[in-house]
Amino acid sequence: MDQHTLNELISDDRLKLKALYNKYRAEFLGFGKRYGLDKEVLADVYQEAFLALRKRGISGKLNTIKSSMKTYLFGIGKYMIYDALKEKNRKVPYEANLHIAGEEMEEITLEPASELTPRQELLRKYFKELGEKCRQVLTLFYYRGLSIKEIALKAGYENENVVKAHKSRCLRMLREKINT
Amino acid sequence: MDRDLLIERFIQGTLTVKEQREFDTLVRNDNDFKEEVEFHINVGKVSEAEDDDNFRKLLSEFESEALKERSGTKKFTRKWMVAASLILIAGIACFFIIMQPPTTQELFDQSFVPYRNVVHTIVRGEQVQDTRTKAFSSYAAGEYEASVSLFSALYEDEKTPYYLFYKANALIQLNRAEEAIPLLKEHMTTNDSLADKSAWYLAMAYLQLNDRENAIKMLKDVVGDGGFNTAEASQLLEDLD
């Protein structure tokens, strides 16, 4: 997959993300129409597929993918459309319909999203109470998998030590919230 | 190795084999360490859930904006389609108006010019003006009403044919073609040097009266004569077809 586009996908650049979102949107909605789903449902499916694509990008799973971003996104979309059809109990000859859409767009299977445990839900509540800068540094480190050095560059910290100190302070605040 | 560093490397996925072993041992045997690791894993899970939710909100914004932009484009397109249609309709209307054969009145307006005075020399500054001078002066000045009366009087007195011709011209100019026709017809029969021009002005009189048939007939005569205004008559015949 094109690294440049991949970088845009996992970035926080609103303009680039919007351009990327709009780039495949119309075609995806047109493609999804064949399965008899409402436009609103398809728009939701597209958004979820786009999110799933980004999550895979963040996890590094797309780094070794040979197909284009569009093909991969539509592959995820196919899987999600199938799910949406199942939900609606539509008796659509699924396989036959999928092949209308075409050739190389292989369906991409997604792992079911794991629900947060009650303990995690509680932690989430406290996490939301943190300041924006704290949430950012923790997200970049724990979810996005950025190194301290990368965080310093991306979030505009003076140096790595400042990032480390800030991260520790944020974790301490989170712990304090849990313990109070 | 420092416990915090071990956990940090675990989170980042950068533990060496040796560090991984140490990490696993600690998780198995040290509940506090295990709790601490769980806390860090949970921070990861929670931040992921939050990040996903924020990204969903962003995508939802993109979707709304896309719909808005699309409807904006639609409105814009619609507006311009209406404008384009109006222009097209106006264009077609103009086309038909332009392509419609001109009316006899239009042809008349384009073609008729009262014949200039070629028979009487007007000397400026003359104290006492005779009737002829007054008549042609009025004619030249566009005072056609006055010239009509004067030409009538002169013709009554002198019976010179060209008074008929100039009176007819003045009458046509006054939009009184009906009165001009008999005068021109009479003038045509005379030996006046201007008689060859009467056919053209008779055609003009018929055009003014929207008498297409007679106008064509007279214009054909003009063309047939091959003299005064032959080219103009040919053009008019084409236009009247």
Side-chain angles (χ1 to χ4, degrees):
Chain A
M1 203 169 286
D2 173 47
Q3 193 57 45
H4 178 72
T5 322
L6 203 50
N7 288 341
E8 287 182 353
L9 178 71
I10 61 174
S11 77
D12 291 309
D13 190 325
R14 194 184 194 279
L15 274 179
K16 282 177 182 159
L17 284 167
K18 187 180 172 181
L20 215 50
Y21 178 85
N22 286 333
K23 191 174 178 184
Y24 309 115
R25 181 184 170 273
E27 201 177 331
F28 185 87
L29 296 184
F31 154 76
K33 232 168 43 182
R34 302 167 184 193
Y35 301 98
L37 289 170
D38 298 341
K39 213 175 169 185
E40 288 77 23
V41 176
L42 283 172
D44 288 345
V45 168
Y46 181 61
Q47 285 171 49
E48 280 303 311
F50 201 89
L51 171 67
L53 179 77
R54 175 171 151 106
K55 284 171 77 66
R56 292 202 158 203
I58 288 171
S59 70
K61 284 180 186 166
L62 300 182
N63 292 337
T64 51
I65 298 292
K66 293 269 180 278
S67 64
S68 71
M69 184 174 282
K70 181 187 158 187
T71 303
Y72 201 86
L73 176 64
F74 278 53
I76 296 173
K78 265 186 188 180
Y79 176 82
M80 290 184 165
I81 284 170
Y82 179 45
D83 254 15
L85 288 171
K86 270 204 297 191
E87 219 170 275
K88 282 180 164 263
N89 289 320
R90 290 268 178 89
K91 287 181 179 169
V92 177
Y94 171 61
E95 279 305 324
N97 268 310
L98 271 186
H99 288 296
I100 302 170
E103 339 71 50
E104 85 275 32
M105 282 178 198
E106 288 301 319
E107 180 190 332
I108 311 280
T109 314
L110 299 171
E111 313 81 37
S114 58
E115 296 282 314
L116 293 184
T117 63
R119 200 175 177 188
Q120 288 167 345
E121 284 291 359
L122 190 65
L123 183 65
R124 187 177 184 179
K125 179 179 168 273
Y126 298 129
F127 181 86
K128 279 181 174 180
E129 290 173 9
L130 293 173
E132 196 188 332
K133 200 81 180 153
C134 263
R135 280 183 276 132
Q136 185 196 35
V137 72
L138 295 180
T139 304
L140 292 178
F141 184 81
Y142 287 98
Y143 172 46
R144 303 276 186 92
L146 266 64
S147 69
I148 298 293
K149 192 179 175 183
E150 285 168 332
I151 294 171
L153 279 172
K154 189 180 168 79
Y157 285 91
E158 234 174 86
N159 55 53
E160 292 172 42
N161 287 334
V162 179
V163 179
K164 277 182 191 171
H166 190 224
K167 181 171 79 73
S168 299
R169 202 163 61 246
C170 293
L171 286 174
R172 199 163 54 244
M173 282 163 70
L174 199 55
R175 271 188 241 270
E176 281 168 9
K177 282 177 184 291
I178 295 166
N179 296 329
T180 51
Chain B
M1 191 182 188
D2 177 66
R3 290 180 163 216
D4 288 343
L5 194 60
L6 260 185
I7 295 172
E8 189 179 308
R9 290 197 178 163
F10 164 73
I11 295 292
Q12 298 267 293
T14 52
L15 287 173
T16 62
V17 178
K18 194 184 162 200
E19 285 164 356
Q20 182 70 56
R21 266 203 299 271
E22 190 184 347
F23 178 85
D24 291 342
T25 310
L26 278 167
V27 166
R28 267 198 307 272
N29 305 318
D30 188 329
N31 260 344
D32 285 350
F33 184 80
K34 195 184 166 192
E35 283 269 321
E36 184 66 13
V37 171
E38 259 178 38
F39 172 73
H40 286 270
I41 290 171
N42 286 345
V43 172
K45 290 273 179 199
V46 163
S47 64
E48 179 180 356
E50 275 298 296
D51 198 57
D52 287 355
D53 266 13
N54 290 335
F55 197 67
R56 275 194 189 94
K57 277 179 204 148
L58 187 69
L59 294 180
S60 181
E61 280 173 31
F62 291 166
E63 185 58 30
S64 306
E65 286 164 17
L67 288 171
K68 222 179 279 173
E69 280 158 22
R70 193 172 154 70
S71 76
T73 314
K74 262 189 188 170
K75 270 182 207 161
F76 179 81
T77 312
R78 207 184 153 92
K79 203 169 99 185
W80 282 100
M81 284 293 277
V82 170
S85 304
L86 289 174
I87 290 166
L88 186 66
I89 290 165
I92 290 168
C94 283
F95 176 78
F96 279 107
I97 287 164
I98 289 163
M99 290 312 285
Q100 262 182 356
T103 63
T104 48
Q105 184 61 49
E106 284 166 351
L107 290 173
F108 168 79
D109 290 339
Q110 289 163 21
S111 314
F112 176 72
V113 180
Y115 195 71
R116 66 189 189 282
N117 168 28
V118 291
V119 293
H120 179 71
T121 309
I122 299 164
V123 181
R124 310 271 168 204
E126 271 181 1
Q127 287 298 310
V128 182
Q129 288 189 336
D130 58 21
T131 312
R132 286 181 74 190
T133 303
K134 280 183 187 168
F136 282 105
S137 294
S138 304
Y139 184 81
E143 294 159 8
Y144 296 110
E145 286 280 7
S147 68
V148 165
S149 305
L150 292 165
F151 285 138
S152 297
L154 286 164
Y155 185 69
E156 280 294 316
D157 282 345
E158 299 173 24
K159 298 292 177 196
T160 313
Y162 60 69
Y163 292 128
L164 295 172
F165 178 75
Y166 283 109
K167 185 185 171 183
N169 266 271
L171 284 168
I172 293 170
Q173 184 63 54
L174 289 167
N175 212 21
R176 287 155 65 183
E178 266 173 319
E179 292 169 61
I181 287 169
L183 302 179
L184 289 166
K185 279 184 177 173
E186 194 182 336
H187 182 245
M188 280 171 85
T189 60
T190 66
N191 292 323
D192 185 60
S193 60
L194 299 174
D196 64 319
K197 295 167 180 68
S198 280
W200 167 260
Y201 284 99
L202 201 51
M204 294 294 106
Y206 285 128
L207 277 180
Q208 191 181 73
L209 294 171
N210 194 26
D211 185 346
R212 187 176 283 260
E213 192 186 326
N214 278 314
I216 290 171
K217 197 174 148 196
M218 293 318 300
L219 288 167
K220 281 182 178 170
D221 284 352
V222 173
V223 174
D225 290 344
F228 178 69
N229 276 6
T230 304
E232 287 83 342
S234 297
Q235 182 60 54
L236 266 179
L237 281 168
E238 271 182 44
D239 294 337
L240 283 165
D241 262 345

